[in-house]
Amino acid sequence: MAERRIRIMVAKPGLDGHDRGARILARAFRDAGYEVIYTGCHQTPEQIAAAAVQEDVDLVGLSCLSGAHGYLFPRVVELLKEKGAEDITVIGGGIIPDQDFQKLYDAGIKAIFTPGATLDSILDWIKNNLKPRE
Amino acid sequence: MTKNMEEAEQLKKIKAGDVRTASRLIRNIEDELPEARTALKRIFLDTGRAHVIGITGSPGAGKSTLVDAMITSFRKMGKTVGVLAVDPTSPFTGGAILGDRIRMQRHAEDPGVFVRSLATRGALGGLSKAVGDAVHVLDVMGKDLILIETVGTGQQEVEIINHSHTVIVVLVPGMGDEIQAIKAGIMEIADIFVINKADRDGANQLANELGSMLNMAPAFPGGWRPPVVKIGSCFEPQSFTPSIEELTGAIADHYRRLEETGLLGDRMKRKAMVEIGEALRDAILTPILRELTKSGEMDLIVERLLKRESDPYTIAEEAARRYLK
Protein backbone atom coordinates (compact mmCIF):
# COMPACT_ATOMS: atom_id res chain seq x y z
CA MET A 1 0.00 0.00 0.00
CA ALA A 2 2.33 2.70 1.20
CA GLU A 3 5.04 2.26 -1.34
CA ARG A 4 7.31 4.71 -3.08
CA ARG A 5 7.18 4.67 -6.86
CA ILE A 6 10.33 5.85 -8.54
CA ARG A 7 9.80 8.79 -10.89
CA ILE A 8 12.29 9.55 -13.63
CA MET A 9 12.42 12.58 -15.89
CA VAL A 10 13.89 12.21 -19.36
CA ALA A 11 14.83 15.52 -20.91
CA LYS A 12 16.73 16.87 -23.86
CA PRO A 13 18.43 20.15 -23.13
CA GLY A 14 19.70 22.39 -25.89
CA LEU A 15 19.19 22.65 -29.58
CA ASP A 16 19.38 19.17 -31.01
CA GLY A 17 16.08 17.62 -31.95
CA HIS A 18 17.12 14.00 -32.20
CA ASP A 19 15.16 12.36 -29.47
CA ARG A 20 14.89 8.81 -30.72
CA GLY A 21 17.35 7.58 -28.12
CA ALA A 22 15.62 9.52 -25.37
CA ARG A 23 12.27 8.05 -26.34
CA ILE A 24 13.68 4.53 -26.39
CA LEU A 25 15.05 5.10 -22.91
CA ALA A 26 11.75 6.48 -21.70
CA ARG A 27 10.05 3.36 -22.99
CA ALA A 28 12.65 1.10 -21.36
CA PHE A 29 12.15 2.88 -18.03
CA ARG A 30 8.40 2.48 -18.38
CA ASP A 31 8.83 -1.23 -19.05
CA ALA A 32 11.02 -1.48 -15.96
CA GLY A 33 8.08 -0.19 -13.92
CA TYR A 34 9.13 3.43 -13.41
CA GLU A 35 6.97 6.47 -13.89
CA VAL A 36 8.62 8.49 -16.63
CA ILE A 37 8.04 12.16 -17.21
CA TYR A 38 9.07 12.98 -20.74
CA THR A 39 9.48 16.67 -21.48
CA GLY A 40 10.60 16.59 -25.10
CA CYS A 41 13.30 18.39 -27.03
CA HIS A 42 14.74 21.90 -26.96
CA GLN A 43 14.57 22.41 -23.20
CA THR A 44 16.54 25.02 -21.35
CA PRO A 45 18.24 23.91 -18.13
CA GLU A 46 15.86 26.29 -16.33
CA GLN A 47 12.81 24.53 -17.76
CA ILE A 48 14.22 21.13 -16.90
CA ALA A 49 15.04 22.03 -13.32
CA ALA A 50 11.67 23.68 -12.76
CA ALA A 51 9.83 20.67 -14.18
CA ALA A 52 11.90 18.23 -12.12
CA VAL A 53 10.93 20.01 -8.92
CA GLN A 54 7.25 20.29 -9.86
CA GLU A 55 7.18 16.61 -10.72
CA ASP A 56 9.21 15.62 -7.64
CA VAL A 57 11.31 13.12 -9.57
CA ASP A 58 14.10 10.97 -8.14
CA LEU A 59 16.25 11.03 -11.24
CA VAL A 60 16.79 13.31 -14.21
CA GLY A 61 18.25 11.69 -17.31
CA LEU A 62 19.66 14.23 -19.76
CA SER A 63 20.38 13.45 -23.37
CA CYS A 64 22.54 15.66 -25.51
CA LEU A 65 24.01 15.05 -28.95
CA SER A 66 24.98 18.59 -29.83
CA GLY A 67 28.25 18.96 -27.97
CA ALA A 68 26.89 21.44 -25.46
CA HIS A 69 26.79 18.95 -22.60
CA GLY A 70 29.73 20.69 -20.92
CA TYR A 71 27.54 23.67 -20.19
CA LEU A 72 24.02 22.21 -20.13
CA PHE A 73 24.48 19.24 -17.79
CA PRO A 74 26.28 21.08 -14.95
CA ARG A 75 23.81 23.95 -15.28
CA VAL A 76 20.89 21.61 -14.52
CA VAL A 77 22.67 20.33 -11.40
CA GLU A 78 23.37 23.90 -10.34
CA LEU A 79 19.76 25.01 -10.78
CA LEU A 80 18.44 22.01 -8.87
CA LYS A 81 20.74 22.93 -6.01
CA GLU A 82 19.43 26.50 -6.11
CA LYS A 83 15.92 25.14 -5.73
CA GLY A 84 16.92 23.05 -2.74
CA ALA A 85 16.59 19.90 -4.81
CA GLU A 86 20.19 18.69 -4.81
CA ASP A 87 18.93 15.25 -3.74
CA ILE A 88 17.64 14.68 -7.27
CA THR A 89 20.16 12.46 -9.07
CA VAL A 90 21.27 13.66 -12.51
CA ILE A 91 22.72 11.35 -15.14
CA GLY A 92 23.63 12.12 -18.72
CA GLY A 93 24.03 10.49 -22.06
CA GLY A 94 24.66 11.19 -25.72
CA ILE A 95 27.66 12.04 -27.79
CA ILE A 96 30.12 12.76 -25.02
CA PRO A 97 33.90 12.42 -25.51
CA ASP A 98 35.82 10.43 -22.90
CA GLN A 99 37.95 13.42 -21.92
CA ASP A 100 34.81 15.29 -20.75
CA PHE A 101 33.70 12.61 -18.31
CA GLN A 102 35.69 13.73 -15.29
CA LYS A 103 34.59 17.34 -15.60
CA LEU A 104 30.96 16.24 -15.67
CA TYR A 105 31.44 13.95 -12.69
CA ASP A 106 33.04 16.83 -10.82
CA ALA A 107 30.03 18.97 -11.66
CA GLY A 108 27.75 16.44 -10.00
CA ILE A 109 26.63 14.25 -12.89
CA LYS A 110 26.43 10.80 -11.32
CA ALA A 111 26.77 8.63 -14.44
CA ILE A 112 27.35 9.02 -18.17
CA PHE A 113 26.21 6.68 -20.90
CA THR A 114 27.45 7.01 -24.45
CA PRO A 115 26.38 5.34 -27.72
CA GLY A 116 26.77 1.61 -27.37
CA ALA A 117 25.64 1.57 -23.75
CA THR A 118 23.06 -1.18 -23.44
CA LEU A 119 19.65 -0.51 -21.99
CA ASP A 120 20.40 -3.17 -19.40
CA SER A 121 23.53 -1.40 -18.24
CA ILE A 122 21.55 1.80 -17.70
CA LEU A 123 18.73 0.01 -15.92
CA ASP A 124 21.23 -1.85 -13.74
CA TRP A 125 22.88 1.40 -12.79
CA ILE A 126 19.54 2.84 -11.72
CA LYS A 127 18.61 -0.27 -9.80
CA ASN A 128 21.91 -0.25 -7.93
CA ASN A 129 22.26 3.46 -7.32
CA LEU A 130 18.85 4.96 -6.97
CA LYS A 131 16.70 4.73 -3.91
CA PRO A 132 13.46 6.64 -3.84
CA ARG A 133 13.93 9.55 -1.50
CA GLU A 134 12.31 9.69 1.92
CA MET B 1 11.09 20.52 15.73
CA THR B 2 8.05 18.63 16.93
CA LYS B 3 5.90 16.82 14.46
CA ASN B 4 3.12 19.30 14.98
CA MET B 5 5.38 22.23 14.25
CA GLU B 6 6.74 20.51 11.17
CA GLU B 7 3.24 20.05 9.86
CA ALA B 8 2.30 23.65 10.57
CA GLU B 9 5.47 24.71 8.77
CA GLN B 10 4.57 22.51 5.81
CA LEU B 11 1.13 24.08 5.51
CA LYS B 12 2.61 27.54 5.78
CA LYS B 13 5.10 26.78 3.01
CA ILE B 14 2.41 25.40 0.71
CA LYS B 15 0.23 28.44 1.35
CA ALA B 16 3.19 30.61 0.42
CA GLY B 17 3.36 28.68 -2.86
CA ASP B 18 6.52 26.67 -2.12
CA VAL B 19 6.75 24.30 -5.08
CA ARG B 20 9.06 21.77 -3.52
CA THR B 21 6.89 21.25 -0.45
CA ALA B 22 3.71 21.06 -2.50
CA SER B 23 5.10 18.64 -5.06
CA ARG B 24 6.47 16.43 -2.28
CA LEU B 25 3.08 16.33 -0.61
CA ILE B 26 1.44 15.33 -3.88
CA ARG B 27 4.04 12.60 -4.19
CA ASN B 28 3.25 11.38 -0.67
CA ILE B 29 -0.44 11.41 -1.49
CA GLU B 30 0.18 9.33 -4.60
CA ASP B 31 2.32 6.88 -2.66
CA GLU B 32 -0.35 6.75 0.07
CA LEU B 33 1.98 7.55 2.93
CA PRO B 34 0.23 7.99 6.29
CA GLU B 35 1.77 11.44 6.82
CA ALA B 36 0.08 12.63 3.64
CA ARG B 37 -3.29 11.98 5.21
CA THR B 38 -2.32 13.94 8.32
CA ALA B 39 -1.32 16.86 6.09
CA LEU B 40 -4.57 16.64 4.12
CA LYS B 41 -6.61 16.85 7.30
CA ARG B 42 -5.00 20.21 7.99
CA ILE B 43 -5.14 21.43 4.44
CA PHE B 44 -8.76 20.62 3.75
CA LEU B 45 -10.08 23.41 5.96
CA ASP B 46 -8.35 25.96 3.76
CA THR B 47 -9.63 24.61 0.45
CA GLY B 48 -12.62 25.43 -1.69
CA ARG B 49 -11.46 28.62 -3.32
CA ALA B 50 -10.28 27.57 -6.79
CA HIS B 51 -12.36 27.09 -9.90
CA VAL B 52 -11.72 23.51 -10.99
CA ILE B 53 -12.02 22.73 -14.68
CA GLY B 54 -12.00 19.21 -16.08
CA ILE B 55 -10.82 18.60 -19.63
CA THR B 56 -11.73 15.29 -21.16
CA GLY B 57 -11.94 13.70 -24.59
CA SER B 58 -10.41 10.90 -26.60
CA PRO B 59 -6.66 10.34 -26.85
CA GLY B 60 -5.20 12.58 -29.52
CA ALA B 61 -8.05 15.08 -29.35
CA GLY B 62 -5.53 17.77 -28.46
CA LYS B 63 -6.32 18.18 -24.77
CA SER B 64 -2.76 19.06 -23.70
CA THR B 65 -2.33 21.63 -26.46
CA LEU B 66 -5.65 23.13 -25.49
CA VAL B 67 -4.61 23.25 -21.83
CA ASP B 68 -1.40 24.99 -22.87
CA ALA B 69 -3.36 27.64 -24.76
CA MET B 70 -5.77 28.04 -21.84
CA ILE B 71 -2.87 28.58 -19.44
CA THR B 72 -1.59 31.39 -21.67
CA SER B 73 -5.00 32.99 -21.80
CA PHE B 74 -5.61 32.76 -18.04
CA ARG B 75 -2.15 34.13 -17.31
CA LYS B 76 -2.89 37.14 -19.51
CA MET B 77 -5.87 37.80 -17.24
CA GLY B 78 -3.51 37.70 -14.26
CA LYS B 79 -4.84 34.40 -12.91
CA THR B 80 -2.62 31.70 -11.47
CA VAL B 81 -3.04 28.19 -12.81
CA GLY B 82 -2.48 24.67 -11.53
CA VAL B 83 -2.57 21.71 -13.90
CA LEU B 84 -2.96 18.02 -13.13
CA ALA B 85 -2.34 15.91 -16.22
CA VAL B 86 -3.18 12.23 -16.02
CA ASP B 87 -1.60 9.54 -18.19
CA PRO B 88 -2.07 5.77 -18.09
CA THR B 89 -0.13 3.29 -16.00
CA SER B 90 0.91 0.03 -17.64
CA PRO B 91 -1.23 -2.80 -16.29
CA PHE B 92 1.74 -5.12 -16.75
CA THR B 93 4.76 -3.31 -15.34
CA GLY B 94 3.24 -0.50 -13.28
CA GLY B 95 5.36 1.91 -15.31
CA ALA B 96 4.02 4.94 -17.10
CA ILE B 97 5.01 7.55 -19.64
CA LEU B 98 3.76 10.94 -18.56
CA GLY B 99 4.11 13.06 -21.66
CA ASP B 100 1.47 15.75 -21.43
CA ARG B 101 3.92 18.33 -20.09
CA ILE B 102 5.65 18.41 -23.46
CA ARG B 103 2.98 20.75 -24.78
CA MET B 104 3.09 22.95 -21.72
CA GLN B 105 6.81 23.40 -21.28
CA ARG B 106 6.82 27.07 -22.21
CA HIS B 107 5.14 27.69 -18.85
CA ALA B 108 7.69 25.65 -16.91
CA GLU B 109 9.46 28.69 -15.54
CA ASP B 110 6.38 30.79 -14.84
CA PRO B 111 5.94 30.85 -11.05
CA GLY B 112 2.21 31.42 -11.58
CA VAL B 113 1.87 28.00 -13.21
CA PHE B 114 2.27 24.61 -11.57
CA VAL B 115 2.05 21.55 -13.80
CA ARG B 116 2.03 18.10 -12.31
CA SER B 117 1.75 14.76 -14.15
CA LEU B 118 -0.04 11.88 -12.47
CA ALA B 119 -0.16 8.23 -13.50
CA THR B 120 -3.51 6.45 -13.21
CA ARG B 121 -1.97 3.65 -11.11
CA GLY B 122 -4.83 1.33 -11.86
CA ALA B 123 -7.67 3.77 -11.25
CA LEU B 124 -10.50 3.62 -13.76
CA GLY B 125 -12.59 6.50 -14.98
CA GLY B 126 -9.82 8.55 -16.51
CA LEU B 127 -8.32 9.96 -13.33
CA SER B 128 -5.81 8.85 -10.76
CA LYS B 129 -6.84 8.07 -7.22
CA ALA B 130 -4.74 10.98 -6.00
CA VAL B 131 -6.41 13.61 -8.18
CA GLY B 132 -8.99 14.80 -5.65
CA ASP B 133 -6.37 15.31 -2.96
CA ALA B 134 -3.87 16.88 -5.35
CA VAL B 135 -6.57 19.42 -6.26
CA HIS B 136 -6.71 20.39 -2.58
CA VAL B 137 -2.96 20.97 -2.53
CA LEU B 138 -3.08 23.25 -5.60
CA ASP B 139 -6.07 25.03 -4.11
CA VAL B 140 -4.20 25.77 -0.89
CA MET B 141 -1.22 26.92 -2.95
CA GLY B 142 -3.55 29.69 -4.08
CA LYS B 143 -4.05 28.70 -7.69
CA ASP B 144 -7.09 30.54 -9.06
CA LEU B 145 -7.82 27.92 -11.66
CA ILE B 146 -7.07 24.23 -11.55
CA LEU B 147 -7.17 22.32 -14.81
CA ILE B 148 -7.50 18.55 -14.67
CA GLU B 149 -6.62 16.82 -17.91
CA THR B 150 -8.00 13.29 -17.91
CA VAL B 151 -6.26 10.30 -19.34
CA GLY B 152 -8.36 10.20 -22.49
CA THR B 153 -9.83 6.74 -22.45
CA GLY B 154 -13.13 7.55 -24.02
CA GLN B 155 -16.80 7.05 -23.52
CA GLN B 156 -16.86 5.94 -19.91
CA GLU B 157 -14.60 8.64 -18.63
CA VAL B 158 -17.14 10.45 -16.53
CA GLU B 159 -15.55 10.47 -13.10
CA ILE B 160 -14.27 13.95 -13.84
CA ILE B 161 -17.70 15.41 -12.98
CA ASN B 162 -17.09 14.50 -9.34
CA HIS B 163 -14.01 16.67 -9.21
CA SER B 164 -14.73 19.74 -11.30
CA HIS B 165 -17.04 22.74 -11.44
CA THR B 166 -16.82 23.01 -15.20
CA VAL B 167 -16.33 20.08 -17.57
CA ILE B 168 -14.97 20.60 -21.07
CA VAL B 169 -15.37 17.78 -23.56
CA VAL B 170 -12.92 18.01 -26.45
CA LEU B 171 -13.93 16.47 -29.76
CA VAL B 172 -12.27 16.36 -33.14
CA PRO B 173 -13.90 16.01 -36.55
CA GLY B 174 -13.91 12.65 -38.20
CA MET B 175 -13.69 10.49 -35.12
CA GLY B 176 -17.07 8.83 -35.24
CA ASP B 177 -20.52 8.60 -36.72
CA GLU B 178 -23.79 10.25 -35.73
CA ILE B 179 -24.63 7.61 -33.16
CA GLN B 180 -21.70 8.65 -30.95
CA ALA B 181 -23.40 11.93 -30.23
CA ILE B 182 -26.44 10.30 -28.66
CA LYS B 183 -24.72 7.64 -26.57
CA ALA B 184 -24.78 7.85 -22.80
CA GLY B 185 -21.58 8.79 -21.04
CA ILE B 186 -19.08 11.42 -21.89
CA MET B 187 -21.36 13.45 -24.18
CA GLU B 188 -23.76 14.04 -21.31
CA ILE B 189 -21.26 15.51 -18.89
CA ALA B 190 -20.10 18.50 -20.93
CA ASP B 191 -20.66 22.03 -19.71
CA ILE B 192 -18.74 23.24 -22.73
CA PHE B 193 -17.93 21.43 -25.96
CA VAL B 194 -14.76 22.18 -27.85
CA ILE B 195 -14.38 21.10 -31.43
CA ASN B 196 -10.64 21.01 -31.72
CA LYS B 197 -8.67 20.93 -34.99
CA ALA B 198 -11.71 22.62 -36.50
CA ASP B 199 -9.76 23.45 -39.64
CA ARG B 200 -10.24 19.83 -40.65
CA ASP B 201 -13.06 18.54 -42.81
CA GLY B 202 -16.21 17.68 -40.95
CA ALA B 203 -16.00 20.34 -38.26
CA ASN B 204 -19.25 21.98 -39.29
CA GLN B 205 -20.99 18.66 -39.54
CA LEU B 206 -19.84 17.79 -36.03
CA ALA B 207 -21.04 21.16 -34.76
CA ASN B 208 -24.43 20.54 -36.36
CA GLU B 209 -24.70 17.11 -34.79
CA LEU B 210 -23.87 18.53 -31.38
CA GLY B 211 -26.46 21.25 -31.97
CA SER B 212 -29.22 18.79 -32.75
CA MET B 213 -28.22 16.63 -29.82
CA LEU B 214 -28.49 19.64 -27.54
CA ASN B 215 -31.82 20.61 -29.08
CA MET B 216 -33.21 17.28 -27.95
CA ALA B 217 -32.07 17.70 -24.37
CA PRO B 218 -35.09 17.71 -22.06
CA ALA B 219 -33.78 20.52 -19.89
CA PHE B 220 -30.62 22.45 -19.11
CA PRO B 221 -30.01 22.77 -15.38
CA GLY B 222 -29.74 26.44 -14.50
CA GLY B 223 -30.65 27.28 -18.09
CA TRP B 224 -27.06 26.64 -19.18
CA ARG B 225 -26.96 25.28 -22.69
CA PRO B 226 -23.45 23.96 -23.28
CA PRO B 227 -21.84 26.17 -25.92
CA VAL B 228 -19.88 24.64 -28.77
CA VAL B 229 -16.53 26.36 -29.29
CA LYS B 230 -14.65 25.65 -32.50
CA ILE B 231 -10.89 25.90 -32.29
CA GLY B 232 -8.73 25.78 -35.36
CA SER B 233 -5.21 24.53 -35.81
CA CYS B 234 -2.86 25.61 -33.08
CA PHE B 235 -0.25 26.09 -35.77
CA GLU B 236 -2.18 29.05 -37.09
CA PRO B 237 -2.16 31.48 -34.21
CA GLN B 238 -4.84 33.72 -35.76
CA SER B 239 -7.40 30.96 -35.85
CA PHE B 240 -6.44 29.78 -32.37
CA THR B 241 -6.26 32.85 -30.17
CA PRO B 242 -9.72 34.36 -30.61
CA SER B 243 -11.38 31.01 -30.06
CA ILE B 244 -9.35 30.33 -26.92
CA GLU B 245 -10.65 33.60 -25.56
CA GLU B 246 -14.14 32.50 -26.51
CA LEU B 247 -13.48 29.33 -24.51
CA THR B 248 -12.06 31.03 -21.42
CA GLY B 249 -14.96 33.50 -21.61
CA ALA B 250 -17.42 30.59 -21.68
CA ILE B 251 -15.67 29.05 -18.68
CA ALA B 252 -16.08 32.27 -16.70
CA ASP B 253 -19.73 32.56 -17.80
CA HIS B 254 -20.38 29.00 -16.71
CA TYR B 255 -18.94 29.58 -13.26
CA ARG B 256 -21.01 32.74 -12.86
CA ARG B 257 -24.12 30.83 -13.85
CA LEU B 258 -23.32 28.11 -11.33
CA GLU B 259 -23.04 30.73 -8.61
CA GLU B 260 -26.17 32.64 -9.59
CA THR B 261 -28.41 29.61 -9.85
CA GLY B 262 -27.16 27.79 -6.78
CA LEU B 263 -25.94 24.93 -8.94
CA LEU B 264 -22.46 25.49 -7.58
CA GLY B 265 -23.71 24.42 -4.16
CA ASP B 266 -25.19 21.26 -5.69
CA ARG B 267 -21.94 20.39 -7.38
CA MET B 268 -19.98 21.00 -4.21
CA LYS B 269 -22.41 18.74 -2.35
CA ARG B 270 -21.91 15.98 -4.88
CA LYS B 271 -18.19 16.42 -4.58
CA ALA B 272 -18.35 16.29 -0.80
CA MET B 273 -20.38 13.09 -0.93
CA VAL B 274 -17.91 11.45 -3.28
CA GLU B 275 -15.07 12.53 -1.03
CA ILE B 276 -16.64 11.15 2.09
CA GLY B 277 -17.48 7.93 0.22
CA GLU B 278 -13.89 7.53 -0.85
CA ALA B 279 -12.56 8.35 2.59
CA LEU B 280 -14.95 5.85 4.18
CA ARG B 281 -13.93 3.15 1.76
CA ASP B 282 -10.34 3.95 2.57
CA ALA B 283 -10.94 4.02 6.32
CA ILE B 284 -12.83 0.74 6.39
CA LEU B 285 -11.57 -1.33 3.49
CA THR B 286 -7.88 -0.58 3.68
CA PRO B 287 -7.35 -1.74 7.30
CA ILE B 288 -9.38 -4.90 6.71
CA LEU B 289 -7.43 -5.78 3.57
CA ARG B 290 -4.17 -4.99 5.33
CA GLU B 291 -5.11 -7.17 8.30
CA LEU B 292 -6.21 -10.07 6.11
CA THR B 293 -2.99 -9.89 4.12
CA LYS B 294 -0.73 -9.51 7.16
CA SER B 295 -2.29 -12.38 9.08
CA GLY B 296 -2.00 -14.65 6.08
CA GLU B 297 -5.74 -15.16 6.08
CA MET B 298 -5.97 -13.76 2.55
CA ASP B 299 -4.06 -16.73 1.16
CA LEU B 300 -6.43 -19.12 2.92
CA ILE B 301 -9.44 -17.24 1.61
CA VAL B 302 -8.16 -17.34 -1.94
CA GLU B 303 -7.49 -21.05 -1.51
CA ARG B 304 -11.03 -21.63 -0.27
CA LEU B 305 -12.48 -19.71 -3.18
CA LEU B 306 -10.39 -21.61 -5.68
CA LYS B 307 -11.54 -24.91 -4.19
CA ARG B 308 -15.10 -23.60 -4.23
CA GLU B 309 -15.45 -24.17 -0.49
CA SER B 310 -16.95 -20.74 -0.04
CA ASP B 311 -17.94 -17.68 -2.02
CA PRO B 312 -16.61 -14.09 -1.92
CA TYR B 313 -19.88 -12.69 -0.54
CA THR B 314 -20.01 -14.90 2.53
CA ILE B 315 -16.35 -14.31 3.22
CA ALA B 316 -16.69 -10.55 2.85
CA GLU B 317 -19.72 -10.47 5.14
CA GLU B 318 -17.88 -12.51 7.75
CA ALA B 319 -14.79 -10.32 7.59
CA ALA B 320 -16.84 -7.12 7.74
CA ARG B 321 -18.78 -8.39 10.78
CA ARG B 322 -15.56 -9.31 12.51
CA TYR B 323 -13.73 -6.03 11.85
CA LEU B 324 -16.55 -3.54 12.11
CA LYS B 325 -17.37 -4.35 15.73
Side-chain angles (χ1 to χ4, degrees):
Chain A
M1 259 147 252
E3 174 202 3
R4 276 281 186 227
R5 289 280 180 94
I6 289 183
R7 289 165 71 85
I8 296 176
M9 202 171 107
V10 175
K12 276 192 70 65
L15 295 176
D16 86 87
H18 304 278
D19 69 339
R20 185 151 175 263
R23 278 187 279 125
I24 288 172
L25 270 177
R27 168 69 197 265
F29 294 154
R30 184 203 92 178
D31 289 343
Y34 301 121
E35 289 185 354
V36 184
I37 293 97
Y38 187 59
T39 57
C41 300
H42 310 303
Q43 299 297 297
T44 64
E46 284 77 8
Q47 285 174 318
I48 291 170
V53 173
Q54 288 182 10
E55 296 287 353
D56 195 30
V57 294
D58 302 285
L59 177 91
V60 175
L62 300 170
S63 153
C64 178
L65 312 176
S66 71
H69 51 268
Y71 165 73
L72 294 168
F73 289 7
R75 184 75 186 127
V76 171
V77 176
E78 220 174 273
L79 288 163
L80 285 175
K81 198 175 285 174
E82 274 175 31
K83 291 173 185 294
E86 60 272 7
D87 52 336
I88 297 178
T89 306
V90 182
I91 63 174
I95 314 283
I96 295 165
D98 293 350
Q99 63 264 27
D100 292 354
F101 277 35
Q102 196 53 50
K103 237 200 236 157
L104 292 174
Y105 290 140
D106 292 343
I109 307 297
K110 290 291 187 299
I112 296 160
F113 299 95
T114 49
T118 62
L119 289 175
D120 282 339
S121 68
I122 300 172
L123 288 169
D124 280 344
W125 188 92
I126 293 176
K127 219 192 294 164
N128 295 328
N129 292 280
L130 196 72
K131 286 183 191 73
R133 290 160 304 141
E134 285 303 303
Chain B
M1 229 191 281
T2 66
K3 209 158 182 176
N4 217 1
M5 275 165 72
E6 258 174 53
E7 281 163 8
E9 184 67 14
Q10 182 191 33
L11 180 58
K12 216 169 94 190
K13 276 187 173 166
I14 292 173
K15 272 184 171 171
D18 184 77
V19 175
R20 186 122 175 92
T21 313
S23 59
R24 173 48 52 96
L25 177 55
I26 295 175
R27 172 86 175 268
N28 290 348
I29 290 167
E30 283 193 284
D31 291 339
E32 298 182 38
L33 302 196
E35 58 255 45
R37 189 171 316 154
T38 319
L40 282 166
K41 286 180 190 169
R42 279 178 180 264
I43 277 181
F44 186 83
L45 305 179
D46 287 305
T47 60
R49 235 195 77 264
H51 180 184
V52 185
I53 301 158
I55 296 112
T56 185
S58 6
K63 294 186 291 297
S64 304
T65 313
L66 194 67
V67 167
D68 175 66
M70 284 163 68
I71 299 173
T72 308
S73 180
F74 287 133
R75 291 298 289 144
K76 268 193 213 147
M77 299 175 204
K79 307 258 189 212
T80 56
V81 187
V83 179
L84 298 170
V86 187
D87 268 322
T89 292
S90 159
F92 301 110
T93 66
I97 301 267
L98 313 176
D100 289 338
R101 272 195 94 90
I102 294 181
R103 282 93 181 184
M104 308 170 200
Q105 271 305 80
R106 62 188 164 131
H107 307 290
E109 285 181 76
D110 179 348
V113 180
F114 181 102
V115 179
R116 175 58 179 241
S117 317
L118 302 168
T120 51
R121 298 197 181 179
L124 301 171
L127 299 178
S128 110
K129 203 165 156 261
V131 155
D133 291 331
V135 165
H136 291 323
V137 179
L138 297 182
D139 193 335
V140 168
M141 275 180 98
K143 300 295 178 229
D144 299 314
L145 296 139
I146 298 171
L147 312 181
I148 307 173
E149 182 187 333
T150 73
V151 77
T153 42
Q155 297 168 327
Q156 264 304 35
E157 202 188 86
V158 295
E159 202 197 332
I160 188 72
I161 56 169
N162 296 327
H163 293 275
S164 26
H165 304 116
T166 304
V167 174
I168 300 172
V169 172
V170 186
L171 303 166
V172 285
M175 292 273 286
D177 54 34
E178 299 77 13
I179 205 71
Q180 297 298 333
I182 56 169
K183 282 189 184 174
I186 194 168
M187 300 301 282
E188 293 173 281
I189 64 170
D191 297 306
I192 299 167
F193 285 103
V194 167
I195 299 181
N196 210 8
K197 311 182 190 184
D199 51 332
R200 289 192 183 176
D201 286 345
N204 288 333
Q205 194 195 337
L206 180 56
N208 290 339
E209 275 166 28
L210 286 175
S212 20
M213 183 193 81
L214 290 168
N215 287 341
M216 280 178 64
F220 295 107
W224 176 263
R225 181 189 159 106
V228 179
V229 181
K230 280 193 272 183
I231 292 180
S233 163
C234 56
F235 300 110
E236 295 163 41
Q238 289 94 336
S239 70
F240 203 48
T241 314
S243 40
I244 281 298
E245 272 150 23
E246 192 185 333
L247 173 61
T248 47
I251 290 169
D253 289 346
H254 180 249
Y255 196 73
R256 212 171 303 124
R257 181 69 61 90
L258 287 181
E259 283 181 320
E260 285 165 3
T261 56
L263 279 176
L264 190 63
D266 292 350
R267 290 210 178 189
M268 302 290 235
K269 253 183 229 162
R270 185 175 63 198
K271 190 173 168 191
M273 277 167 70
V274 169
E275 272 179 328
I276 192 72
E278 276 171 10
L280 261 176
R281 205 169 300 130
D282 201 43
I284 295 171
L285 188 62
T286 310
I288 296 181
L289 278 174
R290 192 184 297 138
E291 204 42 55
L292 287 176
T293 311
K294 219 173 72 190
S295 65
E297 206 184 327
M298 186 61 100
D299 296 336
L300 299 176
I301 292 172
V302 171
E303 227 18 69
R304 285 178 65 199
L305 289 188
L306 290 177
K307 288 191 192 140
R308 295 295 185 271
E309 287 171 6
S310 186
D311 63 279
Y313 313 102
T314 309
I315 284 174
E317 281 163 14
E318 277 170 14
R321 220 170 293 134
R322 196 146 30 103
Y323 285 100
L324 287 179
K325 263 190 201 140

